[in-house]
Amino acid sequence: MTLMRQEASESWQRIEQQIRDNAALYQTIAQQIRQFDPAFVYIVGRGTSDHAGVFARYLIEVELGVVVAAAAPSVASLFGQQLRLQRALVLLISQSGRSEDLLAQARAARQSGALVVALVNDISSPLAALADYAIPLLAGPEKAVAATKSYLCTLSALLSLVAHWKQDEQLLGALQQLPAQLQQVLSQPAQLQAEQVQELRHSVVLGRAFGYAIAREIALKIKEVCGIQAEAFSSAEFLHGPISLLNQPLTLLDVDLSDETLQAHQAQVAEVQRRGGKVLHLIPGLSAVHSRLQPLLLMQRFYLDIEAVALAMGKNPDAPVGLNKVTITR
């Protein structure tokens, strides 16, 4: 068993521990956020953590109606610009908590009077020490270069934080069922087969809203572990200029969630098929699941499938050529 498969497969246990051990902390932070009453949320992250930030943007804007902005970390680290964040809730997302550009953002946010919350896997990291509050992801050591359980634990932590902030009893109750649902997905049939993927030179991943958020992570993993160029698009945006890609043979992965976007997204995917695109469908795999949790179930199955595809292609998903586990950026 590869490290990637082993780590992805233990996500449900890590999230079970996270929901249990962080419950009081979520309540404390949520109460502080309500008292602070942020004018907007400013999210900082790189790579997989940045993709989790896109999920957070949809989650916070849809569930709470608070405007969310994504950071350009080099503004603080390289340009030395001090942003006016005194009314902001600043969420910093990191596995290692050691990237200098994130640390620069944390320092600048604290100096401007923002409320700073870090979601970090290494609670002993400098980033955790700089934040007003640090939420431990509790993903445990992650040795495979391609992040899996840490991403799922980040989404789970974001869901828990927002559920407590909103005081959403329905979502809080649904989160209690999430670990068991993730465990169920482990034994489901694969949705991607090696023969569907290994001959591709490039691909497109389509999703809408929360589906687009995880489409970015899916595209990254296709690039990381399979070495295939992949790009994520909102299915709505793809119908504009990018649809000209269908002038040549193209395989698209459809991230299909049963939420408020379902009808519009399926209509857009149908148009892609009408124009000759070959579509592979990815679904959460379980029915009667809270719509905000569906992305995690879909990602859980995808991680296992893409690991198997990489092995069938003769690649090592634990150590893709040219990649390191921790990337230090400024």
Side-chain angles (χ1 to χ4, degrees), residues 34 41 45 110 146 148 165 178 192 203 212 223 273 279 285 294 306 314 318:
R34 288 193 295 271
V41 178
R110 287 290 300 271
T148 55
W165 178 1
L178 177 60
L192 280 182
S203 61
Y212 169 65
K223 287 180 279 196
Q273 291 177 302
V279 176
Q294 291 179 21
I306 205 65
D318 290 340

Side-chain angles (χ1 to χ4, degrees), residues 47-59 151 155 158 205-220 232-235 255 257 259 295-296 298-299 303:
T48 290
S49 295
D50 179 52
H51 299 163
V54 177
F55 180 88
R57 176 178 187 170
Y58 282 107
L59 185 64
Y151 177 73
L155 299 194
L158 289 165
V205 189
L206 292 182
R208 189 75 185 268
F210 293 98
Y212 169 65
I214 62 171
R216 290 166 61 100
E217 174 65 6
I218 289 169
L220 176 62
F233 288 97
S234 161
S235 53
V255 179
L257 303 178
D259 62 11
L296 284 76
L298 190 152
M299 288 305 307
Y303 282 142

Side-chain angles (χ1 to χ4, degrees), residues 39-324:
F40 66 101
V41 178
Y42 188 69
I43 299 181
V44 190
R46 289 285 197 191
T48 290
S49 295
D50 179 52
H51 299 163
V54 177
F55 180 88
R57 176 178 187 170
Y58 282 107
L59 185 64
I60 292 167
E61 291 191 343
V62 168
E63 297 297 332
L64 293 155
V66 179
V67 172
V68 177
S74 60
V75 169
S77 64
L78 297 182
F79 292 91
Q81 183 60 261
Q82 177 72 51
L83 298 179
R84 292 188 290 273
L85 297 171
Q86 60 268 24
R87 291 290 314 282
L89 166 62
V90 176
L91 296 181
L92 298 117
I93 305 173
S94 175
Q95 294 177 53
S96 69
R98 286 175 165 76
S99 187
E100 182 53 42
D101 50 0
L102 268 70
L103 297 176
Q105 288 274 354
R107 295 186 195 102
R110 287 290 300 271
Q111 290 169 8
S112 70
L115 177 61
V116 180
V117 177
L119 292 87
V120 62
N121 200 32
D122 184 353
I123 201 65
S124 67
S125 66
L127 183 62
L130 279 170
D132 293 304
Y133 296 95
I135 298 174
L137 298 178
L138 299 176
E142 191 172 56
K143 297 179 181 179
V145 170
T148 55
K149 62 179 179 175
S150 61
Y151 177 73
L152 290 175
C153 284
T154 303
L155 299 194
S156 171
L158 289 165
L159 283 160
S160 292
L161 179 62
V162 167
H164 281 90
W165 178 1
K166 188 182 178 184
Q167 297 176 302
D168 186 334
E169 294 300 327
Q170 183 181 22
L171 182 53
L172 287 168
L175 280 162
Q176 295 298 319
Q177 306 303 316
L178 177 60
Q181 292 166 345
L182 289 169
Q183 187 180 22
Q184 283 182 262
V185 169
L186 297 178
S187 59
Q188 290 186 331
Q191 296 184 22
L192 280 182
Q193 306 295 332
E195 57 269 22
Q196 297 172 312
V197 179
Q198 59 189 2
E199 299 303 323
L200 298 180
R201 295 182 59 191
H202 53 264
S203 61
V204 164
V205 189
L206 292 182
R208 189 75 185 268
F210 293 98
Y212 169 65
I214 62 171
R216 290 166 61 100
E217 174 65 6
I218 289 169
L220 176 62
K221 288 298 174 286
I222 293 172
K223 287 180 279 196
E224 281 183 332
V225 304
C226 295
I228 296 170
Q229 197 280 329
E231 189 171 1
F233 288 97
S234 161
S235 53
E237 291 298 327
F238 188 76
L239 293 185
H240 295 279
I243 202 167
S244 65
L245 293 171
L246 293 175
N247 292 328
Q248 57 187 333
L250 183 65
T251 295
L252 306 98
L253 279 70
D254 164 30
V255 179
D256 201 359
L257 303 178
S258 298
D259 62 11
E260 296 91 330
T261 67
L262 179 63
Q263 184 174 356
H265 173 69
Q266 288 185 339
Q268 289 147 0
V269 170
E271 176 63 15
V272 166
Q273 291 177 302
R274 189 187 70 80
R275 297 199 188 191
K278 179 182 178 181
V279 176
L280 307 177
H281 300 283
L282 302 177
I283 61 174
L286 294 179
S287 58
V289 174
H290 193 293
S291 60
R292 301 297 175 254
L293 306 187
Q294 291 179 21
L296 284 76
L297 302 184
L298 190 152
M299 288 305 307
Q300 175 69 88
R301 185 64 252 170
F302 170 78
Y303 282 142
L304 303 181
D305 291 355
I306 205 65
E307 179 265 0
V309 169
L311 287 176
M313 295 174 65
K315 298 181 180 294
N316 180 1
D318 290 340
V321 176
L323 296 181
N324 297 312

